[in-house]
Amino acid sequence: MAIASLSEIPAGAGELSVWPASTTRLPHGDMAVGGVSLAEIADRFDTPAYVLDEGEVRERCRTYRAALPEADVLYAAKAFLCRAMVRWVEEEGLGLDVCSAGELELAVTAGFPPERIVLHGNAKAPRDIGAALRLGVGRIVVDGPSEIARIAAAVGPQGRQRVMVRVVPGVSAGGHEKIRTGTEGQKFGLSPADGSAQDAVARILGQPRLELTGLHCHIGSQITEVEPYLVALRTMVGLMALVRDAHGVVLPELDMGGGHGIAYRPGESALDLTALARGLRTELGESCAAAGLPVPRLVIEPGRAVAGPAGVALYRVLAVKRTGRKVFVAVDGGMSDNPRPVLYGVRYAPRLVGRHSAAAARTATVVGRHCEAGDVLAADVELPGDVHPGDLLAVPVAGAYQLSMASGYNMVGRPPVIAVHEGTSRLLVRRETLEDLRSRDVAG
Ligand SMILES: *Cc1c(COP(=O)(O)O)cnc(C)c1O
């Protein structure tokens, strides 16, 4: 599936700025990602389909490692995980952040070193803790007081498990209320303001089978400013100083979580990784010096910023309808493969691909095929006025929190994932079939 290079024009900035860096324009309105034509992918793998640019994922991992060489960078698996992703992240030297036995088992059985994995979650099932201990994860992040004795009891007399404490540093940040996790009044973490974080630290230090390696926080997601991280960091270092004063224990690690924002549409801002790295480094040095603490090892956990911009969703137009003053363009996917617009009201910038159109642009709303009026993929976007059934639409920045949140609604079946890299395409996850759905339905 290699593409002749003569007519390729680099995507560059402008309207393709949120597409993978490998994106090029091809003749007849087609586009290539990772050197592979999107129209060819649609023909070969059918639609809807998710395209994942391996080079973009790897490059994003490398950029993180280069920006913060002194830190541990963990990829947050919940953004999107499959075995190939596990391997790429491993080969690029990142760790992994998981939140269930499922993510953990997939990663370890795909060859990921368990000591580089951190398990977190506000409500860990016995199965999650059991898998973490059996497989030997590097850290478990304690999110509530009742977990401490449960984990210690599950460790067994011979073992010792490294843990961290999830702290809410009292910082509200993030792209939507549902993804702001840094303050009290939401379900995650333990607060230093009411003393519950300090209590958890004391209880862990009293458990010989647990080794407290540090504090953890994750203030939210889709954050585009550096400042909330620095405010949170000051609180975290302050709490580390309190731990030292109360217990004489200097914690060697500080995990500042993820949440790094990305642009979904041209012109939107993203978190500046260079500025974040510089800010974290400076603030950590100064806060620790002021508190008389040695600088702990920094850990960060980006998910969206690694996977999101590497993905492109491909849909086929099934119907175009004009009702009142609105034009609806309905495609063959929707809220079952991308619930984000419904959940958070996020906006995307879909594009017609695979055909050149000279028609003037008009405002249309791209909707899915599901039986809910709220099944909107992209409200009020500019598309060529002659978009018709059979056309192909591509939605960039589709790599994070889409397929990982996909559902079986309407028994449409979840789309396949196709990796593209240096001119070749490869099926990573096959399409969910009616047989898959039927095989779970075990009684008639
Ligand atoms: C979700 C999550 C992340 C990743 O968040 P992104 O917004 O995808 O970067 C990191 N750490 C924890 C604890 C999380 O819950």
Side-chain angles (χ1 to χ4, degrees):
M1 290 187 112
I3 297 297
S5 62
L6 266 183
S7 52
E8 289 181 8
I9 304 160
E15 56 174 338
L16 296 184
S17 62
V18 298
W19 283 69
S22 70
T23 306
T24 55
R25 294 173 200 268
L26 300 176
H28 314 297
D30 194 7
M31 309 228 293
V33 175
V36 182
S37 144
L38 294 182
E40 277 184 46
I41 289 181
D43 284 346
R44 181 170 162 201
F45 297 98
D46 205 356
T47 55
Y50 276 70
V51 178
L52 195 60
D53 183 342
E54 176 180 342
E56 184 76 23
V57 171
R58 288 185 182 275
E59 189 52 39
R60 286 178 172 269
C61 293
R62 282 174 205 160
T63 305
Y64 268 101
R65 297 260 293 155
L68 281 162
E70 74 275 31
D72 285 334
V73 183
L74 313 182
Y75 169 63
K78 72 176 191 279
F80 174 71
L81 200 67
C82 65
R83 289 188 298 149
M85 194 78 186
V86 169
R87 185 166 59 79
W88 302 341
V89 166
E90 198 276 320
E91 286 172 1
E92 297 304 332
L94 273 61
L96 206 61
D97 167 336
V98 301
C99 58
S100 70
E103 290 175 358
L104 177 58
E105 296 256 1
L106 185 96
V108 174
T109 55
F112 203 91
E115 64 276 9
R116 273 160 56 189
I117 302 180
V118 173
L119 173 76
H120 69 88
N122 73 300
K124 297 177 193 73
R127 204 166 89 79
D128 301 320
I129 293 172
L133 297 176
R134 175 169 46 83
L135 298 172
V137 293
R139 313 276 183 275
I140 298 176
V141 181
V142 170
D143 202 297
S146 65
E147 266 177 28
I148 298 166
R150 279 174 61 207
I151 298 171
V155 166
Q158 306 308 327
R160 196 141 195 260
Q161 176 61 47
R162 293 183 161 161
V163 299
M164 305 185 91
V165 169
R166 168 102 178 230
V167 175
V168 281
V171 178
S172 179
H176 188 278
E177 190 198 338
K178 290 175 188 165
I179 51 174
R180 289 182 199 131
T181 51
T183 52
E184 290 174 67
Q186 51 80 44
K187 68 177 185 173
F188 291 103
L190 293 153
S191 169
D194 66 7
S196 54
Q198 292 89 321
D199 287 350
V201 166
R203 287 172 66 168
I204 292 168
L205 293 174
Q207 284 282 0
R209 291 177 200 163
L210 302 182
E211 177 187 343
L212 183 64
T213 67
L215 304 181
H216 175 289
C217 69
H218 171 70
I219 55 177
S221 198
Q222 187 57 8
I223 299 166
T224 52
E225 302 292 328
V226 172
E227 188 58 25
Y229 289 100
L230 306 186
V231 175
L233 187 138
R234 283 193 281 274
T235 301
M236 298 296 280
V237 171
L239 186 54
M240 292 175 94
L242 287 181
V243 170
R244 187 237 2 238
D245 296 345
H247 306 284
V249 171
V250 173
L251 298 173
E253 294 173 351
L254 175 58
D255 189 330
M256 293 302 296
H260 311 161
I262 57 177
Y264 282 89
R265 293 181 299 167
E268 287 179 356
S269 54
L271 182 69
D272 178 345
L273 179 56
T274 311
L276 176 74
R278 196 189 311 120
L280 286 176
R281 188 176 295 126
T282 307
E283 191 62 53
L284 189 59
E286 290 176 359
S287 301
C288 287
L293 283 170
V295 173
R297 186 161 180 87
L298 187 65
V299 185
I300 56 165
E301 307 173 334
R304 183 193 311 273
V306 170
V312 176
L314 280 178
Y315 301 101
R316 193 71 75 179
V317 175
L318 296 179
V320 177
K321 186 188 286 180
R322 187 184 288 274
T323 56
R325 296 202 335 276
K326 258 182 141 55
V327 176
F328 289 104
V329 174
V331 298
D332 53 2
M335 64 190 286
S336 70
D337 66 86
N338 182 7
R340 297 188 64 254
V342 183
L343 274 174
Y344 316 126
V346 294
R347 311 287 306 270
Y348 287 88
R351 250 184 103 86
L352 173 69
V353 294
R355 168 173 83 79
H356 179 70
S357 170
R362 73 173 169 195
T363 304
T365 289
V366 179
V367 295
R369 53 157 303 160
H370 294 283
C371 303
E372 290 209 8
D375 176 27
V376 171
L377 277 176
D380 301 328
V381 293
E382 296 288 292
L383 284 174
D386 63 350
V387 164
H388 53 73
D391 275 343
L392 207 52
L393 293 188
V395 180
V397 205
Y401 302 107
Q402 296 193 194
L403 286 185
S404 65
M405 296 179 120
S407 75
Y409 188 40
N410 291 154
M411 292 198 181
V412 167
R414 287 170 289 182
V417 182
I418 296 113
V420 292
H421 193 45
E422 294 173 347
T424 54
S425 61
R426 188 163 69 92
L427 184 65
L428 298 184
V429 182
R430 67 164 172 77
R431 185 181 305 284
E432 191 173 36
T433 63
L434 179 56
E435 246 347 280
D436 293 323
L437 302 174
R438 212 168 5 217
S439 65
R440 295 182 56 231
D441 188 336
V442 295

